[in-house]
Structures are given as C-alpha cells and as structure tokens.
Amino acid sequence: MSHDKKSNAAIIRRSHGFEFGGPLGVTALTIGLPIFCYLTTFLCNDVSGCPIPALLHPTSLTWNKLRQDAGWPEEGIWALADSRVTAWVLGYYGLSVLMQLVLQGQEFQGVELPSGARLRYKFNAFNSAVIILTGALVGTLTQGPDFALWTFIHDNYLQILTANLAISFLLSCIVYIRSFSIRPDHDNAHRELAPNGLTGNLIYDWFIGRELNPRIDVPLVGGTIDIKAFCELRPGMLGWLLLDLAFMAHQHKLYGHITDSMLLVTLFQALYILDSLWNEPAILTTMDITTDGFGFMLAFGDLVWLPFVYSLQARYLAVHPVMLGPGRTLAILAVNLAGYYIFRAANSQKHVFRTHGPDDPRVEHLRSIPAANGSRLLVDGWWGYARHINYLGDWIASWAWCLPTGVAGYLITRTAPTTAVTAAAAAAAEQQQQQQQETMTFQVTQGEARGWGMLFTYFYLLYFAVLLLHRERRDEGKCARKHGDDWKEYKARVPWRIIPGVY
C-alpha cells in the first residue's frame, strides 16, 4: 500500500470533533460574516457619516431614514453586483495566476505531510506585486488621484466586494466537490485529506475544508497552482494594499493633500503586506498550510475578510482626515515598530528552526527538547518567553493601525448653491436639479458621532485579539495531540501562552 493510501485511511479514522460551534456555528458564520462586510460599508460611509446619523437616534429610527443615510442603491440588492466589474476582478485573478506561473520564483519544499511526502512550491508573490504596484505608480504619476485604477476601486467598491465574495463561494464548492476524488485505498499523488474537515456534515466540512492542499494543473501555460498557498497571499493580500492606496488617492482628490494619519496607516499596512510577500516561504510552517483544509473559512478569509475589513481605517480616513502632528506620529510609529519586530523576529526564528533544523548556525545556540515523534520543541530565544510570542507582536502592531483614526466618528452635511427657479424654468427643473447635485459641496464634522466611529475603526483590534486567542487554543490542541507527554514537558518549560508573566 502506498504512503497516500495509508495516510488518507488513517486521516479518516482520526477525524476529530467540531469547532466554531459545529454545523450551526459555521452556518451562522457563513451567513453573518458576509453581511457584516456589507454593514461596515453601508453604516460607515461617505454619504451621511460614520456611523450613519440614523443609528445615533435609535428611538426615532425608520426604515426610509436608514435606507437614505446608508446610501442603499435605488435599484435594490441587484445593484450590489455588476457583470463588468466582476469581469475586471476575474481579470485581476487571472493576471495573478499568470504571473505565478510565468515569472521566475524560488522553489521550496513544504513540511512533511502525513504520507511522508513533501510538496514543492514556487514562490514569486513579491515579484508579482512589484510589477502591479509599478504599473499603479506610473499611472498615478501620469494621472494623479484620477488614475483609472483608483477611481474604479472607489466607484465600484461594493461590486468588487460582491465579486470577491462570489469567487470565494464558488472556489469553496469546487474544492469541496473535488475532494471526493481522493480515495483512501488509491494512489492520490500526494493529495491528502484534512482531519478536521472529515466529520461527515456537509456544511461543516465545506466550511472547514476537506482537502489539505488542493492543486490544479493549468492548461496551455503549463504549471501547477496550489490553491491554498495562492489564496493565502496573492489576490487578497495585494488587493488590501490596492484598496488602501485607492482610499489615499480619494483623500487627496477630496482635500488636495494626504494627512499624516493616512500615510501612517498605509505605510504600516504596506510594510506588513510587502514583508509577508517577501517572506512568502514562511507560510509553509503556518497552521493554515500544514493543518487546515481549504474551504470557505480560508477562501472567504483570504479573499474577502482580509482586504475589505482590514482596510477599514484607510477608508475612514479618506473621508475624515485626521492630522496627528509630530508627537503622536512618533508615538504610534514606535508602537508599530515594536510589534513588527517581535512578530517578524519570532516567526523568522521558528521558520529557520523548522525548515533548516536545530543545527543551522542561526539557531544552533538555542535550546530545544526532543520529542518522541522525532521532532524538537524550541524552548529558547523568542519561543522561551511564550509559546505563541509572535501573536503578541502581531497584536501590538494592530494598535498602530487603529490609533491614527483617533476618537473616530463623523457626520456629513451636504449643501447646494442657491439658485432661483421660476415657473418659466419649470421644464428645466430636472436638469437643474442634476446640475446642483453635481456641484453640491459637503462638510465633515464630528459632532455627536464623535467616539461612535471607533466601533468601526477599532473593530480590527478587538477582532484580532479574539482571532489570536482562538488560534492559540486550536494550535495548543493540535500540538497536544501531536506531541502528547512531550507537550506537557514543553508547557512546563515555557508556561506562558502569549504574554510573558501575564497569560
């Protein structure tokens, strides 16, 4: 019997229980999370305010007032999608696939799979991003904030969101159906099933993902795309940066300048994104790649949640510019650098130890303990402070993404120039109304919305803390199952989970 036959039969036998509240929980997440993405768009907008004024007076709230303040399209729900916009989004995905295949890249082997095999990966996401961003830079230098890419993103934001949501749903269904071609008693060419996605419940397994590393051969061009690794960093991660840059261009278009707060948010997030792309091989040792199957959880998270929720601060600042001044700018900069240093240094140390072994000169001085399964557990360096010390750095940096928005919240007041309309001009009233709409000016003030906008701009901070705590618990459970008594010894040597001396 081949390694694959042994592996997949064993995986089916060791499939473990439900997470995320089981089938009911993942059903709620599948419905609720996309709705949440739309709510952040409608309830914090450039039409009436952030939050919209209707929410500030819930006792007098009416459906018509809510629709008006939210900027709900007159065409209704069908206006949330557009075939032309979807075609352009698919073109962006196609370009990403093409560059993955044809551009030069580094070849790496992944970690050992349950079958004993190690998949090969080609990484060139950073090179792909440089090409796209260079094109965007040339366009911006030529056309300024009116560059077609930036205006397209801003004007079609909702439709772009819908297109990515549809792609994530479709991709989840394709890989779910395709996973049933993996047979436990056949040679599957190193295709493997993920144990946490084999409960037998359709909605749960579709959400979590049945196949560990789904891959597809691309005709004509040639080559293979690892779907999970591709989605992890390419369309969504770079898309997040493009959204930030589009919001920055919109701020310049509205106000004629770019604020220090917008520069900080975009700089911090660009650093995080480009660093992730530059260190693309580091994903090979992450839980997403080594443990989780590819289903709606990762597809939606990579392609929708990450770009559209993580860019909330830049979208807010595009409408409500905040000037920080030198003192606050330096303080926020220090917070980001501290978090980023902890995050990157810890992850780099772990990556070298796992992929090159404890004898690598960069980590040979670090203490580790042997495990019964042949691996070693690092108990020194960054990983001697806490078992998930990288999460602490990640969360510290997240503060710097939210703080530039200050005590957030704004209201928009729109005024039109006064123009006399006589009975003789009645026939031209409609045309005149349209002209007034085009020349309408607006004023952005905080007023009674001050502080309430933090529900949007600081949401990431709270969400990220919950995400990291949940991920830490999942990782602890996985390691306990994998290492048994060795993990107990490791916990005795490194007692803190994330924050040394606290938790």
Side-chain angles (χ1 to χ4, degrees):
M1 183 179 287
S2 72
H3 283 305
D4 283 305
K5 297 171 195 174
K6 292 179 181 177
S7 170
N8 286 303
I11 286 172
I12 291 173
R13 287 195 298 270
R14 73 170 186 265
S15 175
H16 54 77
F18 294 124
E19 297 178 279
F20 301 102
L24 288 178
V26 302
T27 300
L29 290 173
T30 300
I31 298 172
L33 292 180
I35 291 176
F36 178 84
C37 291
Y38 284 111
L39 288 178
T40 61
T41 304
F42 284 113
L43 302 184
C44 177
N45 62 38
D46 57 0
V47 176
S48 62
C50 180
I52 61 174
L55 296 182
L56 300 175
H57 303 281
T59 57
S60 59
L61 182 64
T62 65
W63 177 244
N64 287 336
K65 177 64 174 173
L66 183 64
R67 285 167 55 96
Q68 178 183 344
D69 287 356
W72 183 256
E74 294 183 3
E75 300 86 349
I77 194 172
W78 301 110
L80 301 182
D82 182 90
S83 58
R84 180 184 65 89
V85 173
T86 301
W88 279 109
V89 171
L90 288 172
Y92 167 67
Y93 277 76
L95 177 63
S96 298
V97 170
L98 183 63
M99 289 193 293
Q100 160 80 49
L101 294 173
V102 304
L103 291 182
Q104 216 170 10
Q106 293 179 291
E107 298 277 347
F108 286 86
Q109 278 192 327
V111 298
E112 186 174 304
L113 299 174
S115 66
R118 299 180 71 180
L119 298 175
R120 293 197 64 81
Y121 294 83
K122 176 186 174 183
F123 292 128
N124 57 16
F126 186 83
N127 297 338
S128 303
V130 168
I131 292 175
I132 292 176
L133 293 174
T134 300
L137 175 62
V138 172
T140 304
L141 292 175
T142 304
Q143 302 179 17
D146 290 319
F147 176 47
L149 176 60
W150 309 140
T151 57
F152 176 82
I153 290 175
H154 178 267
D155 295 345
N156 300 283
Y157 178 84
L158 273 172
Q159 292 76 22
I160 296 173
L161 168 59
T162 302
N164 280 275
L165 179 59
I167 291 170
S168 67
F169 267 104
L170 181 62
L171 198 55
S172 304
C173 292
I174 291 174
V175 296
Y176 176 77
I177 294 171
R178 188 170 174 266
S179 71
F180 287 95
S181 64
I182 301 176
R183 303 294 183 184
D185 55 345
H186 289 74
D187 186 352
N188 296 289
H190 303 314
R191 292 178 64 198
E192 300 193 16
L193 298 172
N196 55 350
L198 300 174
T199 66
N201 182 277
L202 188 153
I203 183 65
Y204 184 86
D205 293 347
W206 170 83
F207 180 87
I208 294 294
R210 292 187 83 251
E211 187 169 355
L212 185 61
N213 299 108
R215 294 184 159 207
I216 185 169
D217 295 325
V218 180
L220 300 180
V221 179
T224 300
I225 293 290
D226 186 292
I227 297 174
K228 183 162 64 170
F230 174 81
C231 290
E232 189 78 10
L233 290 180
R234 283 177 177 272
M237 187 72 83
L238 181 58
W240 169 18
L241 180 54
L242 293 176
L243 286 172
D244 279 356
L245 294 173
F247 296 138
M248 177 186 284
H250 188 65
Q251 186 189 72
H252 189 279
K253 186 174 182 178
L254 288 178
Y255 299 103
H257 66 276
I258 298 172
T259 61
D260 50 7
S261 58
M262 175 65 88
L263 286 172
L264 277 185
V265 166
T266 307
L267 175 65
F268 292 159
Q269 296 185 354
L271 174 65
Y272 182 89
I273 293 164
L274 294 176
D275 174 78
S276 298
L277 298 177
W278 177 261
N279 293 284
E280 189 177 11
I283 68 173
L284 294 179
T285 56
T286 62
M287 193 173 182
D288 286 356
I289 298 296
T290 63
T291 305
D292 291 330
F294 185 78
F296 183 72
M297 177 179 72
L298 288 181
F300 174 82
D302 292 339
L303 306 180
V304 182
W305 185 264
L306 184 143
F308 293 94
V309 172
Y310 285 28
S311 60
L312 275 174
Q313 294 85 11
R315 185 162 67 83
Y316 171 89
L317 292 170
V319 181
H320 182 234
V322 175
M323 290 301 297
L324 298 171
R328 286 190 292 176
T329 296
L330 289 175
I332 295 172
L333 186 63
V335 171
N336 184 77
L337 290 177
Y340 172 76
Y341 175 73
I342 296 172
F343 169 79
R344 178 47 58 202
N347 275 342
S348 296
Q349 197 174 75
K350 177 184 69 173
H351 177 68
V352 171
F353 186 83
R354 284 189 177 181
T355 56
H356 299 282
D359 296 328
D360 187 280
R362 291 168 290 181
V363 294
E364 63 180 357
H365 62 287
L366 300 178
R367 293 169 297 167
S368 61
I369 58 176
N373 61 8
S375 63
R376 299 189 70 88
L377 299 172
L378 188 59
V379 295
D380 204 356
W382 284 105
W383 302 94
Y385 293 116
R387 301 195 294 273
H388 306 275
I389 189 68
N390 54 332
Y391 291 174
L392 175 62
D394 223 357
W395 193 65
I396 291 174
S398 70
W399 277 88
W401 297 3
C402 303
L403 288 172
T405 63
V407 184
Y410 63 81
L411 298 173
I412 297 177
T413 304
R414 297 183 180 273
T415 58
T418 303
T419 304
V421 181
T422 64
E430 184 176 350
Q431 180 180 357
Q432 186 177 36
Q433 184 178 6
Q434 180 179 355
Q435 291 173 345
Q436 287 183 348
Q437 183 69 28
E438 292 173 353
T439 59
M440 187 168 293
T441 61
F442 68 94
Q443 182 179 11
V444 178
T445 57
Q446 288 204 281
E448 60 182 343
R450 177 178 168 83
W452 290 106
M454 296 172 71
L455 294 172
F456 298 91
T457 63
Y458 287 79
F459 166 78
Y460 173 76
L461 191 63
L462 176 61
Y463 149 76
F464 201 46
V466 174
L467 172 71
L468 293 177
L469 288 172
H470 179 262
R471 182 172 291 180
E472 173 257 322
R473 294 302 176 93
R474 293 184 72 211
D475 199 29
E476 290 275 322
K478 181 200 74 170
C479 291
R481 290 190 298 272
K482 179 179 179 181
H483 298 292
D485 290 338
D486 295 322
W487 186 250
K488 294 179 182 178
E489 180 184 351
Y490 174 67
K491 288 169 64 176
R493 297 280 294 271
V494 186
W496 303 109
R497 293 172 178 261
I498 297 176
I499 307 175
V502 178
Y503 173 76

